[in-house]
């Protein structure tokens, strides 16, 4: 699989990267056709422009309408130009300073072999620990971990994006034991809208080995759910993952992207059917593990006519629960202690367990009885686990052959044109939800101004209320009288603040929301002297 999503980052990351580069859409790597590239975010593009800006005279930032050339633009173009030009001018106040960057640093089936991915895999139970460790770094404000059999991605909100990259890659190397010089050639690094667009495509199934894979959306939901009690999974990432999940659901609903083989498990069954001379209904099948992946294996084996299968698992309870979901199947439970015997009686062995150590090595495969020539003469091990359950050395056996998740590309190679068409249909839905998330992030810029204005009004209210209470007798007043004054003063302030507060709230449906909101913020800050920042040269 061509690693078009990877960004070469050998040497010192902070110097060699310079700017998180846009990559061709990862989905194009497995569809064989280039899709439109993600649009660079405003703050990402700013990073290039800022480096060349010189102080050639101060722009009047207190009146955004006087920003050069902004009057020639209309609608969203004017809004974007107003925000960008204000930020480029270099005044360090609450609404013109650059936001913290959203970054994703990771690797996937498109950029790294399974030998690397399995070393970096982080079990779900350890995600909170990983978030806490990442957020302990000085430049990382928020963090989230998405770790599946096909990808390991770290999402962070970083105060300094290039230092954030260094801190994340250092953590990945330390946590996995992979030297950083061996790790970086496989990484992709995306920033701001490139990073958010990537997550939306992942949730929609556009970056999966099998287009439209349903399981990945559930895994993105797990990241969101696992992050709720963790301090480091805060406002920005919480909202980002919510929008990504919504986009993923809509893509699947509106364009039926999940039709056909849509999971690693279904692709594994398709591969078994391709490699086995017999029909699956005539083959002896053994499944090791009784988790969600194994449940999907049973489902797809049944759809191909395979009714009988042996299921091995540590506990019988979980195996019985799985068997109860498929009453039409003849599922025989065996404990893991019988694994070698059952594998010897099978022509196809599927493995899907959480074991970090291989269950089958070459000597184990050689010790099993041979498979008949009618079944191809070789026992098929199809391993859909990461870390792998079957060592690659099994391929050295004369009577066995092993396939892992990277080998499922044979199945994925079919129907390229249909996948390309569906992926293109999904892009407008993704872009719509990306715009909604960007508008939400833009609206956060008004929060400090809103807080400052409320605090100033509250200070005035409390001062005048104390004077009024003192003038009316102070301690001689009843609680009811004091409450009446309190309610009256608060009510007057809230009614007077309603208009200014409304003018500071961004409306995602307004074409000029950014420009108008910035004008209102500038006016309010000037009138109420809420903030005055120094000019940065």
């Amino acid at each position: 699989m061509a690693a078009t999503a990877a960004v070469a980052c050998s040497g010192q990351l902070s110097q060699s990267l310079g700017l998180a580069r846009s990559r061709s859409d990862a989905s194009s790597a497995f569809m064989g056709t280039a899709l439109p590239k993600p649009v660079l975010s405003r703050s990402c593009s700013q990073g290039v422009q800022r480096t060349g800006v010189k102080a050639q005279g101060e722009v009047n930032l207190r009146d955004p309408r006087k920003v050069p050339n902004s009057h020639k633009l209309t609608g969203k173009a004017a809004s974007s130009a107003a925000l960008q030009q204000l930020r480029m001018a270099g005044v360090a106040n609450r609404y013109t300073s650059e936001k913290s960057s959203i970054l994703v640093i990771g690797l996937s089936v498109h950029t790294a072999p399974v030998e690397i991915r399995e070393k970096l895999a982080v079990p779900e139970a350890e995600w909170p620990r990983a978030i806490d460790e990442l957020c302990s770094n000085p430049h990382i404000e928020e963090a989230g971990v998405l770790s599946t059999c096909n990808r390991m991605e770290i999402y962070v909100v970083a105060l300094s994006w290039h230092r954030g990259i260094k801190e994340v890659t250092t953590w990945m190397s330390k946590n996995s034991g992979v030297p950083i010089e061996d790790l970086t050639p496989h990484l992709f690094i995306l920033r701001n809208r490139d990073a958010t667009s990537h997550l939306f495509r992942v949730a929609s199934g556009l970056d999966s080995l099998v287009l439209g894979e349903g399981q990945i959306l559930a895994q993105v939901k797990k990241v969101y759910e696992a992050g709720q009690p963790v301090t480091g999974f805060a406002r920005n990432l919480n909202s980002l993952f919510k929008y990504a999940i919504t986009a993923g659901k809509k893509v699947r609903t509106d364009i039926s992207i999940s039709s056909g083989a849509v999971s690693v498990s279904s692709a594994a069954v398709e591969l078994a059917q391709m490699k086995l001379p017999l029909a699956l209904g005539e083959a002896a099948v053994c499944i090791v593990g009784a988790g969600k992946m194994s449940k999907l294996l049973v489902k797809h084996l049944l759809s191909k006519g395979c009714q009988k299968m042996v299921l091995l698992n540590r506990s019988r309870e979980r195996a019985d629960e799985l068997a109860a979901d498929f009453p039409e199947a003849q599922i025989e439970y065996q404990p893991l202690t019988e694994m070698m015997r059952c594998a010897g009686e099978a022509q196809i062995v599927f493995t899907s367990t959480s074991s970090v150590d291989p269950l089958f090595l070459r000597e184990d495969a050689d010790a099993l009885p041979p498979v008949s020539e009618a079944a191809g003469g070789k026992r098929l091990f199809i391993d859909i686990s990461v870390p792998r359950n079957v060592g690659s050395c099994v391929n050295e056996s004369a009577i066995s052959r092993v396939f892992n998740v990277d080998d499922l590309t044979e199945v994925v190679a079919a129907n390229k044109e249909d996948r390309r068409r569906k992926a293109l249909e999904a892009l407008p839905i993704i872009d719509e939800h990306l715009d909604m998330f960007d508008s939400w992030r833009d609206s956060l810029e008004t929060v400090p101004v809103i807080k400052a204005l409320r605090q100033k009004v509250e200070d005035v209210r409390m001062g005048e209320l104390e004077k009024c209470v003192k003038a009316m007798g102070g301690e001689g007043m009843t609680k009811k009288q004091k409450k009446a004054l309190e309610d009256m003063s608060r009510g007057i302030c809230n009614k007077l603040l309603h208009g200014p507060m409304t003018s500071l709230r961004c409306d995602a449906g307004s074409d000029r929301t950014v420009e108008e909101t910035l004008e209102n913020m500038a006016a309010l800050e000037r009138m109420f002297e809420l903030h005055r920042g120094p000019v940065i040269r």
Side-chain angles (χ1 to χ4, degrees), residues 146 196-205 214-228 233 237-253 429-430 433-434 436-437:
L146 174 58
T196 57
S197 175
H198 174 75
L199 177 60
F200 281 48
R201 290 163 187 252
V202 167
S204 300
Q215 192 173 9
I216 186 61
L217 180 58
Q219 289 163 336
V220 172
K221 288 180 182 177
K222 280 187 178 180
V223 176
Y224 174 76
E225 292 166 357
Q228 294 309 297
F233 192 84
L237 291 187
N238 189 72
S239 184
L240 172 62
F241 274 79
K242 282 175 69 176
Y243 276 104
I245 292 166
T246 302
K249 288 179 180 177
K250 189 167 179 62
V251 166
R252 284 170 169 78
T253 301
I429 297 173
I430 290 173
H433 286 78
L434 277 171
M436 291 167 62
F437 175 71

Side-chain angles (χ1 to χ4, degrees), residues 148-164:
T148 74
C149 61
N150 282 332
R151 67 185 67 252
M152 196 291 192
E153 300 174 354
I154 304 292
Y155 290 82
V156 298
V157 177
L159 286 166
S160 167
W161 65 267
H162 58 285
R163 290 185 176 91

Side-chain angles (χ1 to χ4, degrees), residues 423-435:
L424 288 172
E425 290 177 10
L427 295 183
I429 297 173
I430 290 173
D431 286 342
E432 176 188 355
H433 286 78
L434 277 171
D435 289 341

Side-chain angles (χ1 to χ4, degrees), residues 388-433:
R388 290 169 293 175
N389 290 164
V390 184
S392 57
C393 56
V394 169
N395 273 326
E396 299 170 7
S397 171
I399 59 172
S400 299
R401 190 174 178 190
V402 60
F403 299 92
N404 59 45
V405 289
D406 287 359
D407 297 306
L408 299 181
T409 53
E410 287 188 54
V411 180
V412 179
N415 302 320
K416 285 185 178 179
E417 184 58 32
D418 184 54
R419 289 199 298 276
R420 175 185 175 276
R421 179 183 57 81
K422 288 185 176 180
L424 288 172
E425 290 177 10
L427 295 183
I429 297 173
I430 290 173
D431 286 342
E432 176 188 355
H433 286 78

Side-chain angles (χ1 to χ4, degrees), residues 342-355:
C342 293
E345 296 172 356
Q347 295 157 337
I348 306 175
V349 179
F350 292 96
T351 60
S352 177
T353 79
S354 59
S355 173

Side-chain angles (χ1 to χ4, degrees), residues 388-500:
R388 290 169 293 175
N389 290 164
V390 184
S392 57
C393 56
V394 169
N395 273 326
E396 299 170 7
S397 171
I399 59 172
S400 299
R401 190 174 178 190
V402 60
F403 299 92
N404 59 45
V405 289
D406 287 359
D407 297 306
L408 299 181
T409 53
E410 287 188 54
V411 180
V412 179
N415 302 320
K416 285 185 178 179
E417 184 58 32
D418 184 54
R419 289 199 298 276
R420 175 185 175 276
R421 179 183 57 81
K422 288 185 176 180
L424 288 172
E425 290 177 10
L427 295 183
I429 297 173
I430 290 173
D431 286 342
E432 176 188 355
H433 286 78
L434 277 171
D435 289 341
M436 291 167 62
F437 175 71
D438 285 345
S439 293
W440 175 82
R441 279 205 93 200
D442 285 338
S443 73
L444 295 183
E445 297 185 22
T446 68
V447 172
V449 180
I450 290 173
K451 288 182 176 179
L453 180 57
R454 280 198 172 277
Q455 186 60 53
K456 185 148 194 170
V457 170
E458 180 65 10
D459 291 344
V460 172
R461 185 187 74 83
M462 289 300 297
E464 295 304 311
L465 181 62
E466 287 178 10
K467 291 179 185 177
C468 182
V469 170
K470 190 177 293 185
M472 295 180 66
E475 295 301 323
M477 295 178 65
T478 65
K479 289 184 178 180
K480 186 175 182 180
Q481 290 172 328
K482 289 181 180 179
K483 185 177 184 303
L485 284 177
E486 170 79 20
D487 292 346
M488 180 186 69
S489 63
R490 193 179 298 279
I492 291 172
C493 290
N494 287 340
K495 284 181 169 61
L496 290 174
L497 281 173
H498 177 73

Side-chain angles (χ1 to χ4, degrees), residues 112-126:
V114 67
E115 292 85 356
I116 296 292
R117 299 200 311 275
E118 66 186 359
K119 291 177 182 177
L120 273 88
V122 179
E124 183 182 344
E126 295 184 24

Side-chain angles (χ1 to χ4, degrees), residues 272-273 276-286 301 304-310 345-350 371-372 374-375 380:
Q273 191 174 45
L276 190 71
L278 302 174
L280 282 176
E282 301 172 8
V285 175
C286 172
L301 284 167
K304 300 297 182 183
C306 179
Q307 300 287 327
K308 296 181 180 180
M309 55 201 83
V310 176
E345 296 172 356
Q347 295 157 337
I348 306 175
V349 179
F350 292 96
V371 174
S372 67
L380 301 181

